[in-house]
Amino acid sequence: MPEGAATVDEPTTEFDLEANLILHPAVLVVTQGPTAGSRFELSEARVTVGRHPDSDIFLDDITVSRRHAEVYRDGLVQHVKDMGSLNGTYLNSRRVEDAGLKNGDQLQVGRFKLVFYDGTSE
């Protein structure tokens, strides 16, 4: 190939799932509570939820423990894990310690209700 000639990348049929997750991160949307309407992107591998001001998702209410829960990614699946909270973490009205999340699932943390969207739908 002559010097300075442009090269053409061959088209690829592989879908870069990890890149797509970063472009379209999963989100939690607060549907009930003082911050209803707030939207939190889950673009990090671990996102903390609690009443502590350093929490990634800060929920300022006495019903929320300072370090209440965390949302983490295990491969392609997002999970919610209760961190020993006093009032518990609920997924679709059932108390959970650690559970996988699906699109449309409802989390309850204290008085707050949040809906999980997996980032694959608009």
Side-chain angles (χ1 to χ4, degrees):
M1 180 173 280
E3 188 175 333
T7 60
V8 177
D9 291 332
E10 290 193 27
T12 179
T13 56
E14 278 187 44
F15 178 71
D16 190 345
L17 188 55
E18 194 66 26
N20 191 50
L21 287 175
I22 293 167
L23 291 174
H24 304 286
V27 296
L28 284 172
V29 178
V30 180
T31 59
Q32 184 176 317
T35 59
S38 297
R39 178 180 181 271
F40 299 97
E41 288 188 357
L42 304 174
S43 54
E44 300 296 322
R46 289 194 182 279
V47 175
T48 58
V49 180
R51 191 168 37 93
H52 192 283
D54 291 338
S55 297
D56 298 313
I57 299 176
F58 175 58
L59 302 176
D60 191 16
D61 188 87
I62 194 69
T63 61
V64 177
S65 295
R66 290 175 62 75
R67 305 214 189 278
H68 198 104
E70 70 179 18
V71 178
Y72 68 95
R73 186 171 47 239
D74 182 13
L76 301 177
V77 179
Q78 294 278 358
H79 289 254
V80 62
K81 179 178 181 179
D82 185 82
M83 302 304 288
S85 67
L86 182 62
N87 292 325
T89 300
Y90 292 80
L91 177 61
N92 300 323
S93 301
R94 300 180 96 174
R95 191 170 182 156
V96 295
E97 296 299 318
D98 192 326
L101 296 170
K102 297 181 306 248
N103 196 40
D105 278 349
Q106 183 180 74
L107 283 177
Q108 183 168 349
V109 176
R111 292 185 181 140
F112 293 84
K113 290 187 179 178
L114 306 96
V115 175
F116 173 77
Y117 295 100
D118 67 11
T120 59
S121 52
E122 300 271 333

